[in-house]
Each structure stands twice: as structure tokens, then as C-alpha cells.
Amino acid sequence: MNQPSVRTQETVDTLVIGAGQAGLATSYWLTQASVPHLLVERRDTLGGAWHDRWDSFCLVAPNFTLVLPGMPYDGPDPDAFMPRAGVVDYLRQYAASFHAPVRFHTSVRRLAAVDGGLVAETDDTTFLAHNVVLATGAYPVPKVPPVAGQLAPHLLQIHSQDYRRPAQLADGGVLVVGTGQSGTQIAEELYDAGREVHLAVSTCPSAPRRYRGRDVVWWLMQTFLHGAEVGVPFPTVADLPSPAARFGCDPHLSGKDGGHDISLRQFARRGIRLYGRLERASGSAVGFSADLAERLVLAETGFDKEFRPLFDAYIDAAGIDAPPDDRPPYDDLTPETVTELDLDAAGVTTVVWATGYQLDFSWVDLPILDEWSYPRHERGVTIHPGLYAVGLPWLHSEPSSVLAGVGDDAAHIVDHLVARNAGR
């Protein structure tokens, strides 16, 4: 007979759940503050969700955005775009640089309150902690729309999280659903590999790779870091039109082959077939919204509405001698609007769902979540004493969930945590 597993109990001042970039940045600041802590990680290695990107993936942001606290990028190519394996290695080196206390193969199944503290239950261990930091990241659960269940079973369906390379897919055409950063890059890779690609267009904006003489992300970083100094503060979550806007998609760009723009109309010129939103399916027959033209306009105008005014204001206020905007005019191609497609007749054998992710705090047995399953908090300090969150979309500002911004938020919650500990 199998013997029942023996549960152990451990007490720790601060438990950090997740050892991706958010958890590691938090661990760095906890180490600097001499706060005893432990990181628990469900995977068997460091690197977080970067392991879930495809083989040819490169950062969309240049290497100079690798600014985790205590170890900013200092390599020879700050303007290059690091491949997936390089990002994973960077995180491993980062953890080693301050001896981050990580325990692997440890998934927290339940988090609850007990006796003025918090209790985290894993498969074989119960952790009692004075403080807990939720650092499970922005990409815990792939999101696939309900319409997927109406597709014929002979069609291969795969989420972008599980996509690795064109040869992984069945022979034939591919329908890519979603035009965020993953969807557009995967569609481009498949087309370049000789596949016939059909692309369902979402409302994610595009952005130029370069603007006024610099990579567009350089302006984003400068405004984020120095905008307030010249009277052009970087937007925070309080500036969003609604809480739902926290989950908006990122502008589509590519860091592959040295970095380049992505234009949906240029996709159409090259032979990728564009459609509106995938709305319905029955077997191999799928239907799309009739607003493709409007979606293309939304994509093209997003940068000029959201980012261009911010960057221009920063350039003017900082007195930067930047060249004028010399972007070429938008392509004037208007693809035909097609609302019905028979995937079998079109030779499509695979559907790639590039439809993003959703948060999953179902294991948090505390009344802290809002209607979007997002922790109620004030810059990472949740409404439950001793419970913190870091690395979530728009925790404080747009870079909160990425390498460029997670360190600042981690520093903020650790400052609060240290003050709380001092009051015991």
C-alpha cells in the first residue's frame, strides 16, 4: 500500500509566491532590507513565463529595458532585442547575483488567513507567514474564447503559449486569431515559412519601431523615468478610463531580425488574408465581424492618440533636439471584407489562439478580488494586511508587469512591508 504523504509545516517571515521577474525583483529588495523570506516556484527552473514563448521569440523592447534592480543590462548591444533563451539566462544570473532563496516544484493550492497571519498550502507543506507577496505574473492562464468549442474536432487548436515553430503544426493553412504582439509575430513567422495564413484582427494598436530618431520604446522609457522631472508625468492606473482598461493589449511590434514595424495592411499586400473578429463557428465554418476596415483604422491611430502626444510633450519639456516625425504615410490598401470562411475548403488545418491570458487567483481564499478577479490594492498593497501583489498589468503604470517597471513596484511594496514589520 502507498503510504500517505507526510505534511510538514514551516514558518517564514515573508513568502513570495512565484519566482519570475516580479518575484525575483521583490526578493532583491527583501534581501537588501534583510527581511527573511522564501520564494516558491511551480516550475523546476527559473525563467518564468519566458519559457512559454516560441523558439524564435525576441523581446519587443530593446535590451536597455532590462533594468531589474541591482543588475541593469550592461552588455554590448543595448539597442538589440534579446532572444528568449537570453532573457531566461538573464533571470538566472540575476537570481544568482544575490542568492535568491527559491524552492522549485512548489505550487500553492490555497492561501488563507490564520491567527493574524497568512497560511499557504502546497501539496506537502503548510507555510505560515507574516507577509505574502503574490508574484504569479500577468500570464498564468491562457485565454481561449468559448467559440473554440464549436470548431470541428479534426482541426488542431493551439494557444500561442504552446506554439513553438511552424513545423510543429499540421501541414496546411493556419487561422491565427488575435493581432496583439504574439498574434502578429506568429502570423508573420508562419507566412515567411510558406504557410497560407488567415488572420482575425483584434483592436490592438500598432506602433512605429522608431519615432523621431529613436526606438519608440526609448521614448517610453525616458518618459517613464524622467517625465515627472519636466512636468510630463507618466500615466498611472488612476488615469485609465476604467478598471477594465488594465487588460488592454500591447501595441504590435517585432524585435526579430533587428526589430521592425508590423503593418496589417502590409500583411494583406503580402498575401495574409485579414478578417474581422472571429464571432461564430460551426464545424469548419467560421464567421467574422464585418468591421475589418474600422479595426484597421483603430490599429493605425492608436499610437497617435495615446503615445505620440505624451512623447512630443516630453521632448518639448525636456528641450530635446529630436528630428521631426518622418514616418511614411499609412498604407491606403483596403482589403476586402469577408465575413464567412470554410476552413476545410480553404485548406486550413490549424487554429492558433493568440487571444491573451487571464488572471487566476482562484486559490486565494480571501475576499480581496474585484469583479475582474484582480486584487484590490493601492500600488500593490492589498486590502488584507500583510498581503501584497506585484507584476500585474497596470499595478501602478503600464510598465508594471514588464522588466522595465516591475522593480519600482517591488521596491514600493517592500518599503511598506518593512514598515509593517517594524510595527510588530
Side-chain angles (χ1 to χ4, degrees):
M1 294 177 61
N2 293 328
Q3 295 296 318
S5 60
V6 178
R7 293 192 63 81
T8 60
Q9 181 172 297
E10 296 184 34
T11 300
V12 61
D13 181 274
T14 298
L15 183 70
V16 181
I17 303 174
Q21 61 209 35
L24 291 176
T26 304
S27 179
Y28 173 85
W29 291 120
L30 289 169
T31 300
Q32 295 299 109
S34 300
V35 176
H37 66 284
L38 175 69
L39 293 92
V40 291
E41 168 58 45
R42 65 179 177 83
R43 299 175 189 264
D44 60 1
T45 186
L46 291 169
W50 298 107
H51 289 289
D52 300 329
R53 303 298 175 254
W54 56 96
D55 293 352
S56 68
F57 173 88
C58 294
L59 285 177
V60 169
N63 295 340
F64 59 71
T65 62
L66 297 169
V67 290
L68 287 179
M71 201 175 111
Y73 177 83
D74 64 354
D77 300 307
D79 296 313
F81 301 87
M82 190 174 286
R84 179 190 66 180
V87 181
V88 170
D89 189 55
Y90 170 69
L91 292 176
R92 289 172 175 165
Q93 292 181 43
Y94 182 61
S97 72
F98 60 93
H99 307 289
V102 184
R103 185 175 302 177
F104 297 104
H105 292 293
T106 305
S107 296
V108 175
R109 307 299 184 187
R110 179 173 179 263
L111 178 69
V114 60
D115 298 330
L118 292 158
V119 57
E121 298 175 359
T122 71
D123 289 336
D124 55 12
T125 304
T126 297
F127 292 98
L128 301 177
H130 182 61
N131 309 292
V132 170
V133 180
L134 305 174
T136 49
Y139 310 105
V141 179
K143 182 171 60 178
V144 176
V147 70
Q150 304 303 314
L151 287 169
H154 66 268
L155 293 166
L156 172 64
Q157 298 187 53
I158 185 172
H159 190 271
S160 58
Q161 175 174 274
D162 300 311
Y163 170 81
R164 294 294 177 267
R165 65 197 71 88
Q168 167 195 13
L169 306 183
D171 292 339
V174 183
L175 170 62
V176 178
V177 181
T179 50
Q181 289 184 355
S182 294
T184 51
Q185 291 178 80
I186 290 171
E188 185 174 50
E189 175 169 275
L190 290 168
Y191 180 81
D192 289 343
R195 296 299 188 98
E196 183 171 285
V197 178
H198 302 257
L199 182 59
V201 175
S202 55
T203 56
C204 299
S206 64
R209 183 72 271 176
R210 296 184 66 81
Y211 178 69
R212 298 191 67 176
R214 293 280 191 172
D215 189 279
V216 70
V217 179
W218 191 88
W219 293 119
L220 190 71
M221 281 287 291
Q222 294 306 303
T223 310
F224 173 63
L225 294 172
H226 307 297
E229 300 169 12
V230 296
V232 184
F234 197 83
T236 69
V237 66
D239 298 307
L240 293 177
S242 74
R246 293 173 296 185
F247 307 105
C249 47
D250 296 320
H252 46 251
L253 277 173
S254 178
K256 193 174 179 182
D257 299 327
H260 58 272
D261 295 1
I262 287 181
S263 164
L264 297 178
R265 294 187 199 268
Q266 285 292 320
F267 274 6
R269 284 195 182 278
R270 294 171 61 189
I272 294 177
R273 303 184 183 187
L274 305 185
Y275 305 85
R277 179 178 182 270
L278 179 60
E279 294 186 328
R280 56 196 178 276
S282 178
S284 66
V286 294
F288 305 93
S289 63
D291 58 349
L292 173 60
E294 291 83 356
R295 288 171 177 267
L296 294 176
V297 172
L298 281 173
E300 291 168 341
T301 57
F303 171 80
D304 290 289
K305 288 181 178 178
E306 180 178 358
F307 292 105
R308 181 182 178 182
L310 179 68
F311 296 164
D312 287 348
Y314 172 73
I315 291 168
D316 291 343
I320 297 173
D321 184 17
D325 181 5
D326 61 355
R327 290 175 292 161
Y330 289 120
D331 195 324
D332 61 359
L333 174 68
T334 301
E336 178 187 4
T337 297
V338 176
T339 60
E340 305 290 337
L341 178 67
D342 187 302
L343 300 179
D344 287 347
V348 172
T349 57
T350 302
V351 178
V352 176
W353 298 103
T355 42
Y357 295 80
Q358 59 192 21
L359 300 179
D360 179 18
F361 290 111
S362 58
W363 47 275
V364 177
D365 192 9
L366 294 164
I368 67 163
L369 303 180
D370 65 17
E371 60 189 291
W372 293 275
S373 298
Y374 196 109
R376 293 185 174 91
H377 71 97
E378 189 69 39
R379 197 173 182 183
V381 181
T382 79
I383 61 174
H384 187 91
L387 182 60
Y388 302 86
V390 69
L392 298 179
W394 281 95
L395 187 83
H396 178 61
S397 63
E398 188 169 24
S400 285
S401 63
V402 299
L403 290 158
V406 70
D408 285 354
D409 288 345
H412 179 81
I413 67 163
V414 170
D415 284 346
H416 186 281
L417 186 154
V418 169
R420 180 173 188 269
N421 278 1
R424 278 196 280 178

